[in-house]
Amino acid sequence: MSLAERVKQKRIELGLTQEQAAEKAGIRQQSWASIEDGKTKKPRNIVGISKALSCDPTWLMNGGTFMPVGDVNTRKVPLISYVQAGALAEKAPINAFDGNFEYIMTDVEMSDYTFALRIEGDSMEPDFKAGDIIIVDPELEPMPGEFVVAKNGNNEATFKKYRPTFTDMSGHQHFELVPLNDDYPTINSNEHPLKIIGVMIEHRIYRRKR
C-alpha cells in the first residue's frame, strides 16, 4: 500500500472530506488532493497530516503495523449491531458482549460505554442514509429535537428524533420517536413500550459512488 492509499484509507475511515482533513492538518485542500493522487510522495507537513488522521507519521510514510499517535486525544468506540444495542436496554454495558468488534476512532467527549451504529434503512432520510455511522452516548439525557437510539419493544433498537410530549402524575416523561421520512409512522411511548438507550453525539456521512 502506498502513502497515497494509506492517507485516503485513513481519511475515509474517519469520515472526513479532503477539505476537512486538510483543515485539520493545516494545509490546502489542493495539497491534500495531490498526496492522495500520488503526485506528492514526501509531504512536508507529515506530522500535521498524521495528527489529522489520528495515526503515526512513520506508518503513513512507510506502512507496516498501525500505531496510534500518543498525543492525539482519540478513543476507540465499538461498532455494534441493532440487536446488541437493543439488549443494552436490559443488560449491562457494551463490555458484557462477547466477540470481536469493529472500532470507530473519535475525539469527542463521551462516557465509557459509548457505542457506534451503522444506519440501516431509509426511515431517517434525507439527513441519515444507509451506511452512515452514528456515535451514541448512553449516559446522556435527551433534549427535545435530539436524535436517540431506543428500544421499541422488539429485540432490536431503533434510531429516531426525540420529541417529549407530557409528564404524567408520577413524574414519568412520555415522548415520541419521530422519523424524518414521512413514509414512516411516529412511535408514541403512550402506545408502545419504549426505552431510550442513548443520545447521538456524532454523525459520520459515508457516500458511495454510483
Side-chain angles (χ1 to χ4, degrees):
M1 186 183 291
S2 66
L3 166 68
E5 292 170 326
R6 286 190 290 273
V7 168
K8 185 174 182 179
Q9 174 187 297
K10 286 302 298 178
R11 175 179 64 77
I12 292 173
E13 286 178 2
L14 293 171
L16 298 172
T17 65
Q18 286 189 348
E19 292 84 353
Q20 291 168 333
E23 183 177 357
K24 282 176 173 284
I27 63 177
R28 296 180 304 156
Q29 185 272 332
Q30 293 91 335
S31 299
W32 192 284
S34 180
I35 296 169
E36 290 195 3
D37 290 341
K39 297 175 182 176
T40 301
K41 307 285 186 187
K42 295 182 178 180
R44 285 179 292 178
N45 191 19
I46 190 64
V47 173
I49 294 166
S50 67
K51 286 186 177 182
L53 296 175
S54 303
C55 63
D56 186 82
T58 302
W59 175 81
L60 267 188
M61 290 300 299
N62 304 317
T65 304
F66 172 75
M67 295 174 59
V69 178
D71 59 351
V72 176
N73 185 26
T74 58
R75 283 179 52 187
K76 294 195 302 183
V77 177
L79 180 63
I80 67 174
S81 71
Y82 279 73
V83 172
Q84 290 171 322
L88 285 177
E90 312 298 336
K91 294 183 180 179
I94 222 70
N95 56 359
F97 295 113
D98 295 325
N100 295 321
F101 291 109
E102 179 182 349
Y103 287 92
I104 303 297
M105 301 298 293
T106 184
D107 58 1
V108 299
E109 293 187 12
M110 58 188 175
S111 70
D112 289 341
Y113 302 115
T114 297
F115 60 90
L117 281 179
R118 182 173 280 113
I119 298 296
E120 298 176 356
D122 61 355
S123 68
M124 293 297 281
E125 289 191 358
D127 291 8
F128 301 88
K129 295 183 181 292
D132 288 358
I133 288 177
I134 56 170
I135 296 178
V136 180
D137 192 330
E139 293 193 7
L140 294 178
E141 291 293 328
M143 300 293 288
E146 288 188 315
F147 297 101
V148 300
V149 171
K151 186 173 182 181
N152 62 359
N154 300 318
N155 290 329
E156 296 188 9
T158 186
F159 173 60
K160 296 290 184 289
K161 185 176 181 179
Y162 174 80
R163 183 164 64 197
T165 51
F166 69 95
T167 303
D168 61 25
M169 297 293 290
S170 63
H172 180 68
Q173 177 67 63
H174 293 262
F175 59 91
E176 294 176 331
L177 297 179
V178 184
L180 300 184
N181 185 338
D182 292 338
D183 290 339
Y184 290 82
T186 295
I187 309 171
N188 196 308
S189 66
N190 238 4
E191 303 168 357
H192 302 275
L194 302 177
K195 184 171 183 179
I196 301 296
I197 296 170
V199 177
M200 185 193 80
I201 58 174
E202 186 177 344
H203 173 210
R204 297 189 179 178
I205 299 173
Y206 293 86
R207 295 289 179 262
R208 293 175 175 80
K209 294 182 179 178
R210 297 184 181 276

